[in-house]
Amino acid sequence: MNEKTTPTPSLTIIGSGTCMPLPHRKAPCNLVSTGKAHFLVDSGPGSLQALAAQKIDPTTLSGVFYTHFHGDHIGDLNNIITWLWVRTWANNYAGDTTLLPVFTIYGPAGLVTYVQNLYKYASLASMPPCVQFVEVAPNETITLDNCSVTAFKVPHTAESVGYRFTFANGKTLAISGDTAHNNSVINLIKNVDVAVLECSYDDDFHEKTKHEVHHLSPTTAAQLAQQAGAKTLILTHIYPCADIVDIAGIAQKVFNGKIIVASDGMYATIE
Ligand SMILES: [Zn+2]
């Protein structure tokens, strides 16, 4: 437990980037601390290592919520399962047969099939005993110890969902994953305290590609936040073309609330 896993609900940006390998923006990964437990939302390639680099102990995690199956969001799932297996084996060889705490992997429909295919040809014949999988349907709410999490369908891939956390202190946090602009995203972030929206592209590139690539720009993200009445907007999932323009300044022309451009290691309490 460290300053980033305190009893107060909080968000830590582990990776604010994309599939592009950049030293300052790791692949998408968010750490949500409910006040009692700690979950990742997405784990792109290298997320466990990024946690360790930010001096956050991965053994404090209770699970991960996946928004969709693109590699930049789910790439470290294989590594997470391998890590849990190795921890299990290490304990057994040390004479400790106590099961590791349950680690729950949540995701949209298709999660179990995805994992079965992932391990079809791998030498790991089964899952570590501590792992359980839960497929979450749009509009379904998962009740945790002192927090609830509701999935909302978002327009990106067929299975894509965003997650809205409601904490024991009454505060709310919504994370879009990858998405375009539509009314279901407004429902996801309606009157939310903190909206974490992707901001993949600058406005020009977004305008050219929006009919075939489902992402947001600073203006479309800000329009969603404004329409939904979100209080704080955090822009993340930033490709290089968006990293070289003033996305906060552009978004502020549309959105009246507080705007933060995510950076790796950024920590915010939700209170
Ligand atoms: Zn995607």
Side-chain angles (χ1 to χ4, degrees), residues 68 70 72-73 156-157 178 215:
H68 65 298
H70 279 161
D72 54 332
H73 292 256
H156 181 63
T157 58
D178 286 354
H215 283 297

Side-chain angles (χ1 to χ4, degrees), residues 49-66:
Q49 299 287 354
L51 278 166
Q54 293 185 26
K55 305 201 182 320
I56 297 169
D57 180 2
T59 67
T60 62
L61 295 174
S62 294
V64 54
F65 288 81
Y66 287 110

Side-chain angles (χ1 to χ4, degrees), residues 29-118:
C29 182
N30 307 282
L31 171 66
V32 178
S33 294
T34 68
K36 280 192 176 178
H38 316 292
F39 295 88
L40 298 181
V41 177
D42 287 335
S43 70
S47 291
L48 277 185
Q49 299 287 354
L51 278 166
Q54 293 185 26
K55 305 201 182 320
I56 297 169
D57 180 2
T59 67
T60 62
L61 295 174
S62 294
V64 54
F65 288 81
Y66 287 110
T67 59
H68 65 298
F69 304 136
H70 279 161
D72 54 332
H73 292 256
I74 200 170
D76 226 25
L77 171 60
N78 195 343
N79 192 39
I80 287 173
I81 291 170
T82 304
W83 164 68
L84 291 168
W85 253 133
V86 170
R87 288 180 61 205
T88 302
W89 288 331
N91 283 359
N92 288 346
Y93 277 113
D96 179 1
T97 56
T98 310
L99 289 180
L100 294 179
V102 172
F103 189 99
T104 306
I105 298 171
Y106 301 91
L111 173 69
V112 172
T113 301
Y114 177 93
V115 173
Q116 286 170 341
N117 285 329
L118 186 67

